[in-house]
Amino acid sequence: MILTMLELLVAFSTVWFTTSHGSYRSPIYRAGVQYPFNNHTLSWKERVDDLVSRLTVDEISDQMAYGGRSTHAPGIPRLGIKPYPWGSECNRGDAEAGPATSFPQSIGLAATFSSETLFLVAEATGVEVRAKFNNYSRHEYYGEHTSASCWSPVINIMRDPRWGRNQETYGEDPFLSGVMVTAYVKGLQGNHDRYIRANAGCKHFDAYGGPENIPSSRFSFDAKVTERDLRMTFLPAFKMCVDAGTYSLMCSYNSVNGVPACANKRLLTDILRDEWGFKGYVISDEGAIEFIMSGHNYTANVIDTVAAAVNAGTNLEDGPYKMTYFAYISKAVAQGKLSEAVIRKAVKPLFYTRMRLGLFDPPALNPYASLDPDNVVQSPRHRNLSLLSAMQTFVLLKNNGFLPLPTGKTWNVVAVVGPFADNVYGMFGGYAPEPDPKYVITPRKGLQNIAHEVRYSPGCLNSDPACNHYNNTDIARAVNGTEIVFVFLGTGAGIESEGNDRNSTDLPGHQLQLLKDAAEYSASAPLVLVLMNAGPLDISWAKQNPRVVAILECFFPAQATGEALRRILFNDGPMANPAGRLPATWPMHLDQYPPITDYTMENRTYRYFTAEPLYPFGYGLSYSKFTYRSLDIRPTQVRYGDVINIDVYVSNDGPRYDGEEVVQVYVQWNNLSLPSPHLQLVSFGRYPIKNGFGVTAHFEVPLERLAVWSDHPPGFVTLKGAYTVYAGGQQPNQKTAAPSNLLTGTFVVI
């Protein structure tokens, strides 16, 4: 058929509409043209190879350059390829992209010690992300955070309590983080044998754990990391992410031993691809390509910067801050700084991912293409999951027997005070999805019916967690003559978040004074302290003071905070007996830690910590008493390649509550011929146990999980000799401990 000139103009014209996010309408494409890359009966490799072979160098440059939240990969009308937006924030719900269910912040999800819970949260997140993407795509809208490709999860190690982004992580332990990221990737991406629901993007690769801004900028910081710490602390969770099947990783802002992460061939190619076999794409953090030159002074000009990043293994730029560097890829090729073969290889994982999302196949073949936001976004199932997962995150740090509160009792007067008592913004944390306000329950709202009169005072002006302006008179008014005082303190995203480190673990501003005043002005009323924070806080006064009868760490529970809190306080319903465990060590004081800029792991995390903590990793109380009765380890003599089977029997001895117990298995190296952690979590599980009954927890620990790094020759080594096994609801040998016992055993590597 011969097309008229008018038809040709229409076929290649572009229609735009303008929104608050900018102009994003796609071109009008020719219909009916079929290429081999559209043939779903061919192999993925054949299809990707065919598509990429048809691209010009300029088209490849455009596909690799526009991966940022404010940009999108342009369409290629002559091939019928539509635009694609490359990034959504999906750490615990579809964030910053319109209404979505908001699940607890990641640090709280880590405190569940439940990979099953994280899988369900990631699955729900993936369903909502994909449904919204389907809707955006149908309307040809490619705005900010409208993608089916996620910049999540964050799996950096919580190595320092001051780091602003601790809330986005799964805590301080590489194994815990790895188990959680495995659940996240599988839950988000789905289990279809051909298509993925959405794709994960683990970040930030690597050795990124502060500082953000104190005392120096992340955009220019150089993390000096030993090979042993890199291999034993910073890399393992990313290796487990790759093994779980992620399609993407994000390289970080910082340098690692003098080389910016996004230009670091050793990280992005030698380790990630050659050692681990990663086949996906690497996207830069926002503006990280630019900072290779402007922050790290690693390169002298734009072309060299582009060549360094692409040759190292970065496939896609998330930017810009000032300019889009990868837009100069074609010029780098023309100048001989990049080869055409390199960029053709680099663009292939981008199209492979889009094909696995089903974007080049008939929608009828892809079950995820039919997901509709009207049916799944903020569905009753997802809202209930938000509530139950929030309840599982809570860690009971102190309880003198005051909790749980008696079910059905109504008090005359109680007080809810503090900057987090009725602070909607404060209970979400950073990168939070935005639920419909009718589904948001603050603590004040959740507790409004437990007494005839519920008095309220934020104490701090405008409920500002910084609490620089404090009204003790109003606190005195609220707590005087009350029967219980609930005090809500913490940090919030304004104090610890991306771009905001802390220089202290003290309660911010006048918060400690607020707590002391609540105790003074309430006569003898019991105080229940409820915390909303990510990094550790110095609450030693509350821990030691008998007026504070209970302390509950809630992290950032999100939309269902108030109802989750009410149920936990009253032990009302399933999962209401607290069983969360701290996913990070809380130090007594910051002098116990090295400076945040020192990347040694010495005296960091429970694995290397030598001082007495305020609260140890893995700590948490329950309303029930658990007893560990037997530990069976087999075989007791093992060789490389063997799996160690561990059975632990634990009973719930009441006094009268059903509950959940987090069974933790630690191993200690007795052969110290190579530097090793003092202790290592090697397995765990969260088990519901009815009052008066018990369960046998079964764990399988591959011996390779206990390998340590040797510098000479370089590589992992399984040390021969005896190992000690500890099984219980906590770490061994801790001064601050749960009342349950621990069991010990041994095995020998021969």
Side-chain angles (χ1 to χ4, degrees), residues 294-309:
S294 65
H296 298 281
N297 299 312
Y298 185 73
T299 51
N301 56 64
V302 172
I303 299 299
D304 286 349
T305 302
V306 171

Side-chain angles (χ1 to χ4, degrees), residues 409-482:
K409 179 174 180 178
T410 302
W411 284 265
N412 289 319
V413 184
V414 302
V416 293
V417 300
F420 287 87
D422 200 34
N423 185 337
V424 172
Y425 176 73
M427 64 193 199
F428 281 89
Y431 286 110
E434 301 165 4
D436 189 312
K438 67 186 177 185
Y439 301 134
V440 176
I441 306 173
T442 66
R444 181 187 182 190
K445 185 176 181 180
L447 300 179
Q448 65 185 349
N449 294 320
I450 72 170
H452 297 297
E453 181 184 358
V454 178
R455 297 180 190 163
Y456 162 69
S457 171
C460 310
L461 182 64
N462 298 323
S463 294
D464 181 6
C467 205
N468 294 317
H469 302 282
Y470 168 58
N471 187 338
N472 68 330
T473 302
D474 203 46
I475 291 295
R477 174 202 58 78
V479 304
N480 183 42
T482 57

